Amino acid sequence: MSAADNPTLNTDPTIGQPDRLLTTGSYCENPATAFARWLGKTDSQVRDFLMSAPSLGTSWVHQLRVRGTRLKDEHPMSLLGAMAGTAFALGVVTRVLRSRR
C-alpha cells in the first residue's frame, strides 16, 4: 500500500457532494470519462432531490404499520383467525385450480 492518504467520500446528505475528482489540473478526457463524470453528478443530484422532497408513500406506509400494530395489540386472536381463514381459503382455491388440469 502507498503512504498517501486514502480519499474519503462524504456520506452526510446535508453537505454537498464534491466533484469526485482525485486529481487537479488538466488531463485528457475520453467519452467514457465524461459519461462517468456526468453519471456521478446526476446521481448526487437525484439523491439530493429525493432526500429533500417529502414522500407521500412514506406517510401511507407509516399509517398502515401503525394500524397493523394496533390491531395486533388489541385483537390478536381475531387477527390470527383472519390469517388462518385466508390461508385455508387460498389452499382450497389452489387445490381446485390444480385439479382442473
Side-chain angles (χ1 to χ4, degrees):
M1 289 190 22
S2 66
D5 292 331
N6 290 331
T8 58
L9 298 177
N10 182 12
T11 58
D12 187 8
T14 59
I15 301 173
Q17 295 292 324
D19 196 16
R20 301 210 188 262
L21 293 178
L22 298 178
T23 60
T24 58
S26 63
Y27 54 92
C28 63
E29 183 171 314
N30 59 17
T33 308
F35 178 73
R37 179 174 294 111
W38 173 82
L39 192 62
K41 287 181 181 179
T42 305
D43 177 52
S44 67
Q45 290 172 353
V46 168
R47 285 179 195 241
D48 291 342
F49 174 74
L50 291 177
M51 293 297 284
S52 65
S55 175
L56 297 176
T58 304
S59 62
W60 181 77
V61 170
H62 179 68
Q63 288 177 356
L64 185 64
R65 184 174 291 149
V66 167
R67 287 176 61 192
T69 303
R70 186 180 312 145
L71 181 65
K72 179 186 75 169
D73 290 341
E74 293 177 2
H75 306 287
M77 295 307 288
S78 299
L79 182 63
L80 186 61
M83 289 169 49
T86 304
F88 179 75
L90 285 175
V92 168
V93 168
T94 304
R95 183 66 183 162
V96 168
L97 289 176
R98 289 184 72 192
S99 69
R100 289 187 180 183
R101 286 187 177 184

